Amino acid sequence: MNTLADPSISLEMTVSELSLAIGQLLRRLRAESNPDGLSWSQTVALSRLEKMGPMTTADLARAESVKPQSMGATLAELEREGLVTRNPHPTDGRQVLFTLTDEGVEARRKRSAAKQKWLLAAMANLDPDERQTLLTAAALIKRLGEAE
Amino acid sequence: MNTLADPSISLEMTVSELSLAIGQLLRRLRAESNPDGLSWSQTVALSRLEKMGPMTTADLARAESVKPQSMGATLAELEREGLVTRNPHPTDGRQVLFTLTDEGVEARRKRSAAKQKWLLAAMANLDPDERQTLLTAAALIKRLGEAE
DNA sequence: TATTGTTATACTCTATAACTATA
DNA sequence: TATAGTTATAGAGTATAACAATA
């Protein structure tokens, strides 16, 4: 009589539970932000640039499921703060490649600390098994977010 | 030596991966929203009222890690649409209890369908094991979001 | 024509501050 | 005083629409 074995119940319940849970955690993370730290969207853009190397506005927008205009605003702000620089695309004159500056790398490491510090502390109370579950889940969630 | 066995490396990596993944999934979910559907914050408020029964503005705000004023705005909008009603608290004249209307139950079920339908479809491609991981992770994420 | 990016404008969500009513 | 809620205002993030430049 294992209700978890019913795929439809499990699926809808998981969808609902997961949506509510991640929404709450994200709001919680935002609430923990540092006054002179990086905003969420800035942190995300910097992280992705650091991980993937130079990228265009459109690629970053696609990667984060936002419109190019929205990503453009985030990048313009990061550029004003000297955390990214823009370079022309070598072959396509329309495109602009954004690259992390040294200061951007530093900022990503230091100024996003407040948020992550909170989550780090919260996760420190979990069992190793639970942390492993979250790491596995993170990869799955990433796949869902990227899914067509 | 196994780097995954180093708790600090695993922990930081998990924090980073998890934050990025849930941020992207949530933006993705928001992007899938229906033009005449419910907004994310409305869906969340209705879901919680449905699950927990009548609640006050302050309780809902605490549950979702937002300020009472923010939750107040969401509830006012839901009230204007007839999806929740307000009732006086039986013993404390300051408090207001919000309750789902029948129309609110219906709306939660139908109008949030667009978003959840997308996630449901995406999750249908996962293995049962992977779905179980997400369900377990949802509970963990919920605990993190509620953590002091 | 299609794509990249920009500018202009508006909406949603959330925050802070100041206020009223009740405990 | 302290708490629950409201009103007013502002900022961040995102969206749509209209445009320019390039492919």
Side-chain angles (χ1 to χ4, degrees), chain B residues 13-80:
Chain B
M13 185 167 66
T14 305
V15 164
S16 170
E17 293 291 315
L18 190 61
S19 322
L20 290 175
I22 68 177
Q24 197 200 23
L25 180 56
L26 210 55
R27 270 191 300 277
R28 187 62 192 265
L29 274 174
R30 186 186 306 173
E32 294 294 332
S33 69
N34 187 322
D36 94 324
L38 297 167
S39 76
W40 182 257
S41 59
Q42 290 175 329
T43 304
V44 167
L46 290 182
S47 297
R48 200 166 285 270
L49 282 177
E50 190 169 33
K51 205 179 297 177
M52 311 284 283
M55 291 176 76
T56 65
T57 306
D59 285 340
L60 275 165
R62 261 191 297 273
E64 294 300 331
S65 298
V66 297
K67 299 295 171 192
Q69 297 95 317
S70 307
M71 186 54 72
T74 300
L75 289 169
E77 175 61 24
L78 289 172
E79 190 187 17
R80 281 206 302 110

Side-chain angles (χ1 to χ4, degrees), chain A residues 10-30:
Chain A
S10 174
L11 195 51
E12 292 208 5
M13 185 167 63
T14 305
V15 163
S16 169
E17 292 292 313
L18 190 61
S19 323
L20 290 175
I22 69 177
Q24 197 199 23
L25 180 56
L26 215 53
R27 270 193 299 278
R28 188 60 193 263
L29 275 174
R30 184 187 308 172

Side-chain angles (χ1 to χ4, degrees), chain B residues 57-135:
Chain B
T57 306
D59 285 340
L60 275 165
R62 261 191 297 273
E64 294 300 331
S65 298
V66 297
K67 299 295 171 192
Q69 297 95 317
S70 307
M71 186 54 72
T74 300
L75 289 169
E77 175 61 24
L78 289 172
E79 190 187 17
R80 281 206 302 110
E81 296 188 30
L83 307 184
V84 302
T85 50
R86 59 174 68 215
N87 302 105
H89 190 282
T91 63
D92 187 335
R94 296 169 304 178
Q95 298 184 43
V96 180
L97 284 166
F98 285 88
T99 311
L100 271 185
T101 62
D102 291 346
E103 204 180 344
V105 175
E106 182 76 352
R108 218 268 320 142
R109 200 170 55 75
K110 285 220 172 127
R111 291 163 63 192
S112 70
K115 277 185 234 306
Q116 310 238 325
K117 206 175 102 189
W118 173 84
L119 185 52
L120 219 49
M123 287 194 47
N125 294 324
L126 299 179
D127 298 338
D129 275 3
E130 294 175 326
R131 286 205 286 268
Q132 182 55 52
T133 296
L134 284 179
L135 187 56

